[in-house]
Amino acid sequence: MSNAMIFPPSLPRLTHVRLALAVAFVLVLTLLIDRARAALGPGILVTTLAGLSLVVAWARRRASSAGRARATTAGADGAAGQPEPPPDQQWLQAILNLMPMPLLLIEQGTARVVFANRAADQLAGGVFPRDVPADAYHTVYVCTDARGQRIPDAEMPGVRAARGERLNGFQMTWHTPGGARELIVFSEPLPALHGHQPLAIVVFQDVTALKRVELASTRLGKLIDESANEIYIFDAATLHFVQVNAGARYNLGYSMEELHRLTPLDLKPAFTRESFESLIAPLRTGDAEHIVFETVHRRKDGSEYPVEVRLQLSRAEERPVFVAMILDTTERRAAEAALRRSEERYRTLFETMSQGVVYHDATGAITGANPAALRILGLTLEQLQGRTSMDPRWQAINPDGSPFPGAEHPAMVALRTGREVRDVVMGIAIPGEAEHRWISINATPQFRPGETTPYQVYAIFEDITARYRSEAALRESEQR
């Protein structure tokens, strides 16, 4: 396309030169940003072409108004005349300020920035530093490489561009007063044109936001991979695994490459395709946000282990995926089995021991008792539950025959003081018996972790009636 096709022939030759120079700049920019497109995606080229169309449209408007502007200027009074047209440099700067990407014009040889467009000023958080020679870059630019090391003056992109180097995706971090900016840099040398000095054009792509997202994604990926839980992501349509974290791979004995060829059905022998689809159907229909179930997993070597599965469907991806958080319950089940065995042993001891055992809650009410306690007290469990030491039906007495106040019963003292009470002798009335039955009681308070007030007390007692009566008879005999 010739200049006449863009610019009307009525324009002076100098204007043609200016516009041709502007279009040359834009074409160089197109080259640079097309290289950026290859690294960062096709959206960059769309932005460039939009900028180019703005420049051409602006040039057409400039051309169509030039004749009117000259006529107006010629007819005006000298004292009140219009200002002189802007210099070539200002005119070209206005065009470059239309570009959406940060752009610099750098003097070849000295590496001084002679122009920074509006986007570059915004990148700098104010005004982009200008007119700084190569050996003084360190005084205004603090840039680091991927290792976090400061880039020396000679290796700064502006200095390299001023030497004639073509930069194609140089990455660095620029530490500005407004914060660190992650940049990808492209450059192209510009020869001397129409009396203008040779320059280098430098374009920046600010990828700070992208880097932050990548960093967050990397951190999240690392947390997931290092999670103590097994985490599985599988395709919602094919059920093939997309990603499995390191803990799961280690426990299963499969590599990620092998797992890509497998589905949850290969790990869960208890399920068929039909039963598994029936299980996950509420997730597909949206009737449930997640489901939790227990099953077993089969390792590569054929061994199996119990698991608890928490499964949900994520539609955030381009292709929906299921995300499964899986807990290996081997240790938990072993602990539960051990606890059951321990409880069975203590239950057997509780039910067969000759001493009576009674549990009181924090109010003093009886909540449980073993068979020996029911036998010694002459009551059924239903008759005993709910009673307290304050109940007058006990008719408790001291060895000297005086009343034994309910508040001084060992269980009540242990609840009140939080201390163990031992070897207290007490006589109690037994339904159907004329004389008191004598018992020796120990009471022990129990506390929940972090609490200082007992939540219950258990009392262990034995029937010492025969021994007590023998000792009483012996004392009476000796007195006679």
Side-chain angles (χ1 to χ4, degrees):
M1 178 182 293
S2 67
N3 285 351
M5 295 179 65
I6 301 178
F7 313 129
S10 57
L11 278 178
R13 180 173 180 79
L14 180 57
T15 302
H16 279 261
V17 171
R18 292 170 176 169
L19 295 177
L21 185 58
V23 172
F25 270 117
V26 174
L27 291 175
V28 172
L29 283 174
T30 302
L31 173 64
L32 281 174
I33 302 178
D34 191 46
R35 282 154 54 189
R37 177 190 62 80
L40 301 172
I44 299 301
L45 183 56
V46 173
T47 302
T48 303
L49 294 177
L52 178 58
S53 66
L54 285 174
V55 173
V56 172
W58 185 89
R60 288 183 179 274
R61 290 195 302 271
R62 177 86 176 187
S64 63
S65 63
R68 295 193 300 272
R70 287 197 303 274
T72 301
T73 303
D77 179 76
Q82 296 295 323
E84 290 292 326
D88 292 356
Q89 185 177 1
Q90 294 180 16
W91 187 83
L92 192 56
Q93 287 173 359
I95 296 176
L96 297 180
N97 276 326
L98 295 173
M99 303 306 298
M101 294 182 70
L103 175 147
L104 306 178
L105 296 181
I106 295 179
E107 189 176 66
Q108 290 193 25
T110 67
R112 295 178 185 271
V113 174
V114 297
F115 171 75
N117 71 348
R118 187 177 296 111
D121 285 338
Q122 292 171 351
L123 176 65
V127 177
F128 201 99
R130 293 164 169 79
D131 296 321
V132 180
D135 58 1
Y137 263 41
H138 63 277
T139 64
V140 292
Y141 306 117
V142 179
C143 299
T144 54
D145 59 21
R147 299 172 299 173
Q149 300 296 317
R150 184 163 182 173
I151 301 173
D153 288 347
E155 298 304 316
M156 289 286 285
V159 177
R160 292 174 61 185
R163 291 199 299 260
E165 292 188 41
R166 286 180 171 84
L167 301 180
N168 190 18
F170 177 79
Q171 298 188 37
M172 70 176 190
T173 303
W174 183 21
H175 302 270
T176 73
R181 313 300 301 181
E182 300 293 335
L183 304 175
I184 299 179
V185 188
F186 300 85
S187 73
E188 189 76 19
L190 284 174
L193 292 173
H194 301 285
H196 290 273
Q197 60 183 337
L199 299 172
I201 184 168
V202 177
V203 174
F204 299 99
Q205 177 66 25
D206 186 356
V207 294
T208 305
L210 178 61
K211 288 287 187 180
R212 287 172 180 168
V213 171
E214 288 178 349
L215 179 60
S217 178
T218 300
R219 288 175 177 170
L220 180 59
K222 186 176 181 181
L223 288 174
I224 290 174
D225 214 40
E226 295 178 352
S227 172
N229 291 331
E230 298 181 13
I231 302 176
Y232 299 77
I233 301 174
F234 55 95
D235 188 276
T238 67
L239 301 186
H240 280 95
F241 289 115
V242 176
Q243 188 63 42
V244 178
N245 75 336
R249 298 196 304 270
Y250 177 79
N251 201 3
L252 292 169
Y254 286 110
S255 68
M256 192 64 247
E257 183 179 355
E258 292 172 316
L259 285 166
H260 281 317
R261 298 191 292 270
L262 304 180
T263 74
L265 301 175
D266 295 302
L267 307 184
K268 296 175 171 60
F271 285 93
T272 63
R273 178 68 185 240
E274 291 73 20
S275 62
F276 190 69
E277 284 291 350
S278 177
L279 176 71
I280 64 178
L283 297 177
R284 292 191 185 279
T285 60
D287 293 332
E289 290 186 359
H290 66 271
I291 55 175
V292 180
F293 61 97
E294 292 190 353
T295 185
V296 295
H297 266 192
R298 179 174 292 161
R299 298 184 178 92
K300 184 177 180 179
D301 63 8
S303 62
E304 296 179 355
Y305 61 100
V307 294
E308 179 184 275
V309 183
R310 184 182 183 91
L311 183 65
Q312 65 185 58
L313 176 61
S314 172
R315 303 183 188 275
E317 301 295 323
E318 184 177 348
R319 290 174 59 91
V321 295
F322 285 102
V323 180
M325 300 282 290
I326 294 182
L327 177 65
D328 182 345
T329 58
T330 302
E331 293 184 2
R332 187 183 75 186
R333 291 197 176 190
E336 289 172 349
L339 180 60
R340 284 194 298 271
R341 290 193 296 271
S342 176
E343 288 176 344
E344 288 170 1
R345 287 195 296 270
Y346 282 111
R347 172 61 60 181
T348 300
L349 177 62
F350 180 75
E351 292 180 351
T352 59
M353 63 190 297
S354 61
Q355 292 91 352
V357 181
V358 171
Y359 282 91
H360 301 254
D361 65 17
T363 68
I366 294 174
T367 58
N370 71 341
L374 302 179
R375 175 179 51 79
I376 293 171
L377 298 176
L379 299 170
T380 66
L381 183 60
E382 290 75 16
Q383 292 171 325
L384 191 60
Q385 283 181 323
R387 276 199 189 190
T388 71
S389 297
M390 309 299 290
D391 194 313
R393 287 176 290 181
W394 295 118
Q395 299 179 32
I397 60 175
N398 285 299
D400 63 4
S402 63
F404 202 126
E408 299 305 316
H409 284 206
M412 301 306 289
V413 173
L415 277 173
R416 186 170 63 250
T417 64
R419 296 175 182 173
E420 187 179 25
V421 179
R422 299 185 61 83
D423 302 324
V424 175
V425 175
M426 175 193 298
I428 55 173
I430 302 299
E433 295 187 8
E435 296 186 15
H436 281 70
R437 185 171 292 178
W438 294 91
I439 57 176
S440 177
I441 310 172
N442 296 325
T444 303
Q446 291 185 302
F447 304 85
R448 292 190 177 93
E451 296 183 358
T452 57
T453 302
Y455 73 95
Q456 71 174 10
V457 166
Y458 66 91
I460 299 178
F461 53 91
E462 60 179 327
D463 184 352
I464 62 169
T465 302
R467 188 183 72 194
Y468 181 83
R469 288 174 179 172
S470 297
E471 291 175 351
L474 181 60
R475 285 194 299 273
E476 288 179 3
S477 174
E478 290 175 348
Q479 287 176 358
R480 287 195 298 267

